[in-house]
Each structure stands twice: as structure tokens, then as C-alpha cells.
Amino acid sequence: MSGRLRRVSAADGLGITVRLWGERSARTPLLCLAGLARTGGDFGRVALRHAGTRLVLAPDYPGRGLSERARDWRRYRPERLLADVLDLCAALHVPRAVVLGTSLGGLLAMGLAAARPGLVAAAMLNDIGPEVGRGGLAFVHGFIGTRHTRPSLEEAAAFLRETLPWLSLATPEEWREFAALTFARNADGTWSSNWDPAIARTLRAGPLPDLWPLFGALAHAPLLLVRGGRSDILAAETAARMRARRPDMAELVLPGVGHAPTLSEPEIAPALDAWIEAQP
């Protein structure tokens, strides 16, 4: 489910790992952009559902997963990640893509639309919008600013289940799979969170800029919004303002689920897949 791996060098030489599924075809590739401390592996199930008809690619940003860590935390700022995504699209010869963006990945999708409108053929924003809930950001800062280590994958899964009870995961198998996407095994057999805790410092770099112009940059592209009904990152009021500006925007809501939907929940997966399939 993890796909095949390709290593790409960023402009500054930092190594970025990209996960690939499927092959090039007449269909527009899917470019999957993960959340702040997540990896491209989060999109494995979505990718497998569409790899039969189009290329799917999902990078691990620097400081996450299988990509290299930076010496300076400033290297993890969103504007640098945006440049990384543009670089990897150039390196992999992807001039146009349907962009699926979860949380930070959705903000990067907006940034791509502003920086290179022709690249974004369509966009799905997963539990993110031009206004970001401060309460949710405070939790994220504390959670990712720590290197979490557990003796086993099972104990890592139990830790995540206790810490993130608002996720849609229901069975022990689902939590174990999520833990395997969140933790990496150490040489001594223990498991640690697979991101650089310095990423959290990007959340203290000052107030967020006005992101509504970036949302406006998606005006040319078909747009789908996915939202968790209990999200503390994307408020219902923000989603309503987004709908007012984009009445043609499709929306899928998962009641009772917090930040962020996995995109494989049976309540929304068929509609999400139909939306993706409708894109050339």
C-alpha cells in the first residue's frame, strides 16, 4: 500500500522521497499533499483506488517520513515546502495535476494555484480553509513538538487512540495501520514518531497571513471540500464563507469526526472517488 519510492533532490540538495502508484496515462495525475507532520503514506488507500487509471504521487515533505531532515527549522516553513512541491513536479514531469490536500496540504494546494495556476486542474481541500482554528493549532503545536517513543507498534497505536479519539478509526487494525504511518521503528526495536519535532516551530513564526486571496486563486478549478463535523481546524462558519464565495464547490461532511478525515471512510469515499473520477 506504500507505493514505489522515488528520491528527488530539492533546489538546496535536500532529499525528498516521493511515493508513486500507477502509471502515466491520458488521465491527469493525482498529486496528494499531506498534513503538517504527516507523510504521503496517508494517501495509500486513496491511491490504490485510482492507480488503475492514472499516476498518483505523494511526497514526504522534508523532515517527515523517508525524506531528509533539515539543519534549520526555517527550512520547514510552508513557502519552502511550496517550492519543494513545484520542484518535484518539474523533476517528475507533472505539469498539471488534480491536487488532494489534507490540512497543510490544502493550504499548499491554494499556494500552487496562486504560484502556478496551470498546474492545478482541480483541488480537494481536506479539513482546511482560509481561516485556521487557533485551538486546533495549539494542540498540533504541542503534539508535534515532541518526539513520541513507544516500546512497540501496538503501544504506539494505543497511545494514538487515547490522544486522538476524534478520528474516524474504529478497529484495532485501523489504529495499528495508522500507527505504522505515524511511527518508524528504531534500531533498538522501539518506535518513534517519524517527523522532526522542530517542525512545530513553524507554528510560532507569527500570525497567519490573510489566506482568502489564496483561496480565490482556486477560482478556475473544480473544488471539493471535505470537513470533519467536530473539526477544530476548519469551523463550520469558515466552510459557509467558502461556499458563499464558491457556490459551485462540492462539500462532504463527516459528522462526529475531528481533524482530519482519512478519505477512506465509507460515508464519503464513494463520493470522493466519483469526484476524482469526474476529473479528466
Side-chain angles (χ1 to χ4, degrees):
M1 193 168 69
S2 61
R4 60 191 188 276
L5 303 178
R6 173 83 179 270
R7 192 75 159 194
V8 175
S9 291
D12 61 359
L14 205 64
I16 299 174
T17 296
V18 184
R19 301 162 193 260
L20 301 165
W21 297 262
E23 304 294 339
R24 296 183 188 277
S25 71
R27 308 295 300 277
T28 308
L30 292 184
L31 173 60
C32 303
L33 302 177
L36 182 64
R38 305 298 304 171
T39 72
D42 284 354
F43 293 92
R45 290 187 177 276
V46 175
L48 290 177
R49 300 200 301 266
H50 296 277
T53 58
R54 62 178 92 210
L55 177 68
V56 184
L57 57 156
D60 290 359
Y61 310 129
R64 292 83 163 169
L66 301 175
S67 291
E68 290 184 352
R69 274 49 177 165
R71 294 181 179 180
D72 187 340
W73 68 270
R74 296 172 185 83
R75 180 60 179 80
Y76 300 140
R77 284 176 168 169
E79 60 269 24
R80 299 295 300 275
L81 302 185
L82 180 63
D84 290 335
V85 174
L86 289 169
D87 287 346
L88 73 87
C89 285
L92 298 177
H93 307 291
V94 177
R96 190 164 174 81
V98 175
V99 184
L100 310 183
T102 294
S103 195
L104 170 67
L107 298 181
L108 293 178
M110 298 181 205
L112 290 174
R116 192 167 300 169
L119 174 60
V120 182
M124 185 278 308
L125 306 179
N126 182 16
D127 214 52
I128 194 69
E131 295 178 12
V132 182
R134 287 293 178 181
L137 282 183
F139 170 82
V140 170
H141 179 272
F143 182 71
I144 70 172
T146 302
R147 187 173 190 260
H148 306 282
T149 299
R150 293 296 181 273
S152 68
L153 186 61
E154 287 69 27
E155 289 179 78
F159 163 72
L160 291 172
R161 189 169 192 164
E162 179 181 353
T163 308
L164 308 172
W166 53 80
L167 294 182
S168 64
L169 309 176
T171 68
E173 293 75 18
E174 288 175 331
W175 281 103
R176 192 176 193 279
E177 179 181 311
F178 183 67
L181 292 169
T182 307
F183 284 73
R185 189 172 185 174
N186 301 312
D188 64 358
T190 61
W191 292 75
S192 293
S193 47
N194 63 354
W195 64 79
D196 184 345
I199 293 168
R201 296 186 66 180
T202 64
L203 298 178
R204 297 186 304 188
L208 289 174
D210 181 8
L211 299 175
W212 283 101
L214 290 186
F215 178 70
L218 290 169
H220 69 283
L223 185 59
L224 169 65
L225 179 66
V226 175
R227 181 168 61 86
R230 287 182 57 195
S231 176
D232 55 3
I233 293 291
L234 177 61
E237 294 78 10
T238 301
R241 290 183 62 189
M242 294 167 72
R243 289 193 304 272
R245 296 196 183 200
R246 282 293 303 271
D248 62 321
M249 179 181 73
E251 185 177 10
L252 300 172
V253 181
L254 271 172
V257 172
H259 186 76
T262 68
L263 306 179
S264 290
E265 293 89 352
E267 299 91 338
I268 65 167
L272 170 64
D273 291 345
W275 181 85
I276 293 173
E277 186 61 27
Q279 310 310 318

